[in-house]
Amino acid sequence: MKITRIEVIPLVRKLEEEFKGGTYKIVNRNTIVTRVYTDSGIVGEAFGGDEDQRQDQVVNLIRDHFVPLLVGEDARDVERLWEKMFHSNIDLGNRSIHVLDLNNRGILMQAIAAVDNALWDALGKHWNVPLYKLLGGYRDKVPVIAIGGYYQAGKTQDALNEEMLHYKELQMAGVKFKVGRLSVKEDVERVARVRELVGDDFIIVCDANQAWTPDQAIQFCRAAAGLNIGWIEEPVQWSDQNEGLRLVRDNAPIPVTAGQGEISRWGCRDLVVQGRVNYLNVDVTIAGGVTEWRRIAAMASHFHVKMAHHEESQVALHLLASIPHGLYVEIFPNRKRDPMWFELPAQLPTIRNGYMELPSGPGLGMPLNEDIIARYRAS
Ligand SMILES: [Mg+2]
């Protein structure tokens, strides 16, 4: 099953509206389609990675460095090919201050992820099984939550209520609700109004996107303790991810989730071993692909840390269905926030009674819509 060529297609789509979380705004939806062609006729195909600023660098790294390394190799040797990409001594530019080094490493790990995910799709097709079955097949459906509660210009309480009720109509199991942009008191009030509206059996998790000091995060969690919040995600600012996160975990009555900012198993190891998280939401399209995600999930299970996932449910669905300690997949049901999710797959997985059902086709089981690829191909 020799690799004959690899195709990398960056897509970008300007959103009709801006969406604001605790610390950022989203104006575009980006993704990268990667296709690994093999001499058996099987084509491994995956999309992922919502990276606006450095998408071209990820794509160029694959085209210029990984393609020559991988063509001629056996697509079934995913572990060996992962190591080959990771240890390829690519010149990522001049050494710089540590944060900028990390930036380059992030591009490397996202590029590895794009190829690795397509290789796993090829493996599923080779063995003619859905990816989650190939990985262990723990369940056939995974609870699904909506990412919402964004801060938008002119958004009224009525509009927010309508949004939450819409998620219930769509048979979502719950919502990941944005907090962190207003005062702690105002955000607690927003969440309390939503809990009152949706009732007790609807999952609410809150995502602060690194907006708070540890004190503010603990203050939020204590004030929201009676609201049945499933977790607080990325509560503290980027500068205090070690001790700050541990303080929240030790002093807040709500479980702590982080990991989407990590790019490797080593970063996730430190989050887990140093007791900073209850749950990890490391992203398979950012942190080295299916191969690396599975290593992280195995490590986490030794410490009773459960696995969530940041966005990208086309791959996350399979990962979370393949392990006993998986939590929820998440999507943006608002088409304006994530038009790619609705249009890029030729057929979407079924959502019913709070669960997303696994596709039955081989690999990721999600062929892509060629028209959408052609229309949104980045220059
Ligand atoms: Mg998040």
Side-chain angles (χ1 to χ4, degrees), residues 24 176 178 207-209 231 233-234 260 281 310-311 330:
Y24 66 95
K176 176 183 284 186
K178 294 296 174 185
D207 187 358
N209 294 108
W231 72 61
E233 182 170 320
E234 290 204 307
Q260 70 180 79
N281 73 334
H310 169 253
E311 303 177 11
E330 55 186 46

Side-chain angles (χ1 to χ4, degrees), residues 130-139 294 318-319 321-324:
L131 180 58
Y132 78 103
K133 293 273 189 192
L134 186 64
L135 297 175
Y138 187 76
R139 69 192 101 217
R294 293 277 298 175
H318 288 270
L319 298 173
S322 73
I323 56 171

Side-chain angles (χ1 to χ4, degrees), residues 139 293 307-309 316-323 326-329:
R139 69 192 101 217
W293 198 95
M307 297 301 290
H309 196 285
L317 179 61
H318 288 270
L319 298 173
L320 294 166
S322 73
I323 56 171
L327 292 165
Y328 324 127
V329 283

Side-chain angles (χ1 to χ4, degrees), residues 2-279:
K2 278 200 169 30
I3 297 171
T4 54
R5 72 186 175 98
I6 297 174
E7 186 180 18
V8 198
I9 309 166
L11 305 182
V12 61
R13 186 161 176 171
K14 188 161 176 48
L15 300 181
E16 289 171 39
E17 281 177 30
E18 271 184 15
F19 290 82
K20 288 181 179 161
T23 53
Y24 66 95
K25 67 177 179 188
I26 299 282
V27 294
N28 288 325
R29 172 60 160 124
N30 299 66
T31 200
I32 297 173
V33 175
T34 308
R35 287 178 173 148
V36 176
Y37 294 81
T38 66
D39 66 357
S40 71
I42 285 169
V43 182
E45 174 181 71
F47 73 95
D50 191 358
E51 169 53 49
D52 195 24
Q53 307 292 320
R54 294 173 185 84
Q55 187 180 43
D56 55 335
Q57 290 170 266
V58 176
V59 169
N60 290 339
L61 200 155
I62 299 170
R63 285 180 182 156
D64 297 343
H65 298 284
F66 290 165
V67 172
L69 281 179
L70 299 178
V71 167
E73 291 282 6
D74 189 329
R76 293 171 297 187
D77 298 349
V78 283
E79 285 281 351
R80 192 170 57 77
L81 301 186
W82 197 97
E83 293 297 315
K84 201 171 175 180
M85 289 187 280
F86 186 74
H87 293 292
S88 56
N89 291 325
I90 293 163
D91 181 358
L92 292 167
N94 291 331
R95 289 299 309 271
S96 190
I97 56 175
H98 182 61
V99 175
L100 298 182
D101 272 358
L102 264 182
N103 186 359
N104 287 340
R105 306 298 168 216
I107 291 164
L108 172 72
M109 295 306 279
Q110 189 162 336
I112 292 175
V115 176
D116 188 74
N117 292 341
L119 284 170
W120 277 98
D121 180 60
L123 280 192
K125 287 169 175 165
H126 175 70
W127 298 108
N128 198 28
V129 284
L131 180 58
Y132 78 103
K133 293 273 189 192
L134 186 64
L135 297 175
Y138 187 76
R139 69 192 101 217
D140 296 320
K141 57 184 185 177
V142 177
V144 55
I145 59 175
I147 308 169
Y150 279 94
Y151 304 93
Q152 283 159 287
K155 187 170 179 178
T156 61
Q157 184 64 42
D158 281 352
L160 184 62
N161 291 353
E162 207 175 296
E163 177 191 346
M164 297 301 130
L165 294 175
H166 180 57
Y167 297 155
K168 289 194 90 169
E169 280 163 24
L170 293 173
Q171 303 191 32
M172 309 295 291
V175 65
K176 176 183 284 186
F177 192 80
K178 294 296 174 185
V179 292
R181 194 169 269 268
L182 304 179
S183 71
V184 167
K185 184 169 179 287
E186 288 168 300
D187 269 332
V188 172
E189 285 165 4
R190 283 171 72 236
V191 179
R193 285 195 293 267
V194 171
R195 172 55 77 205
E196 168 112 46
L197 177 78
V198 297
D200 248 355
D201 57 352
F202 198 64
I203 296 163
I204 299 178
V205 303
C206 293
D207 187 358
N209 294 108
Q210 305 190 349
W212 291 321
T213 63
D215 276 351
Q216 288 172 316
I218 293 165
Q219 198 190 334
F220 174 90
C221 292
R222 287 182 175 165
L227 300 176
N228 189 18
I229 306 303
W231 72 61
I232 182 68
E233 182 170 320
E234 290 204 307
V236 300
Q237 290 155 355
W238 66 271
S239 50
D240 205 4
Q241 292 298 302
N242 300 339
E243 186 61 8
L245 217 43
R246 196 193 56 74
L247 273 171
V248 179
R249 171 145 186 228
D250 287 354
N251 291 287
I254 294 176
V256 173
T257 296
Q260 70 180 79
E262 296 299 334
I263 58 173
S264 73
R265 63 187 182 274
W266 297 283
C268 289
R269 173 199 61 194
D270 293 346
L271 283 177
V272 169
V273 172
Q274 293 170 20
R276 297 185 229 151
V277 292
N278 298 88
Y279 312 141

